[in-house]
C-alpha cells in the first residue's frame, strides 16, 4: 500500500498562497491517480483536486477551480497542490490521497475511489 506524508501547511491571510507537498512511498505510487482532500471542523471530508498518473488529466472542485493547481513529479514521487488567492473558507486540514487505480477514465473526487490517506497538514486562512 502507498504511504503518504504531507507538508507545507501554515497560516496565511486571505489572498495569500501556499504550496502543499505530498511525498509518496511504494513502487506503485506513480501508477495511481492521486488527490487532495480537505476537512474542516464539523464538516465531511471533501475532494479538492485529483490528477492522473501521467499528469495529463486533472479535476477540481468548483470551489477551488482557477485558484488551486494540482501537479505531480513521478521521478520524485511527489504530488503538489498550489493554492492561490486563499479564502477563509479554505481553512481545513488537507490530506493527500492515493486511489485504487490509475487512469483518466477513473479520475474522481469521490472518497470511495481512494484507499490511502496521509496524516494531513493544517491550512488556516485569516480574513
Amino acid at each position: 500500500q502507498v504511504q503518504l506524508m504531507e507538508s507545507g501547511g501554515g497560516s496565511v491571510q486571505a489572498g495569500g498562497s501556499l504550496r502543499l507537498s505530498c511525498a509518496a512511498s511504494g513502487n506503485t505510487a506513480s501508477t495511481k491517480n492521486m488527490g487532495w482532500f480537505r476537512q474542516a471542523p464539523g464538516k465531511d471530508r471533501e475532494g479538492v483536486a485529483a490528477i492522473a498518473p501521467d499528469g495529463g488529466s486533472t479535476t477540481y472542485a468548483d470551489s477551488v477551480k482557477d485558484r488551486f493547481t494540482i501537479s505531480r513529479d513521478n521521478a520524485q514521487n511527489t504530488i503538489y497542490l498550489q493554492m492561490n488567492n486563499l479564502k477563509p473558507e479554505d481553512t481545513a486540514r488537507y490530506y493527500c490521497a492515493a486511489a485504487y487505480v490509475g487512469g483518466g477514465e477513473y479520475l474522481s473526487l469521490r472518497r470511495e475511489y481512494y484507499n490511502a490517506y496521509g496524516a494531513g497538514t493544517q491550512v488556516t486562512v485569516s480574513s
Side-chain angles (χ1 to χ4, degrees):
Q1 182 159 333
V2 177
Q3 294 184 321
L4 306 165
M5 181 177 293
E6 303 91 340
S7 62
S11 297
V12 296
Q13 291 191 326
S17 298
L18 284 173
R19 188 174 83 153
L20 306 184
S21 298
C22 171
S25 63
N27 57 13
T28 62
S30 64
T31 67
K32 306 294 187 184
N33 290 343
M34 299 295 295
W36 285 95
F37 286 72
R38 68 185 181 187
Q39 187 166 18
K43 295 188 176 181
D44 290 337
R45 190 172 297 189
E46 63 173 350
V48 173
I51 187 167
D54 64 358
S57 297
T58 57
T59 189
Y60 297 90
D62 288 343
S63 58
V64 307
K65 204 170 292 184
D66 299 326
R67 299 189 298 122
F68 290 12
T69 303
I70 188 171
S71 61
R72 66 191 297 165
D73 182 344
N74 287 335
Q76 299 294 325
N77 270 355
T78 303
I79 300 88
Y80 302 98
L81 185 68
Q82 177 66 43
M83 306 186 295
N84 297 329
N85 190 22
L86 282 160
K87 303 177 180 181
E89 51 263 42
D90 294 319
T91 294
R93 192 163 186 86
Y94 283 71
Y95 299 87
C96 180
Y100 286 99
V101 294
E105 65 272 35
Y106 303 110
L107 201 59
S108 175
L109 297 179
R110 295 176 60 174
R111 289 164 56 183
E112 56 262 41
Y113 280 78
Y114 296 83
N115 65 340
Y117 291 85
T121 185
Q122 179 67 33
V123 171
T124 302
V125 185
S126 58
S127 57

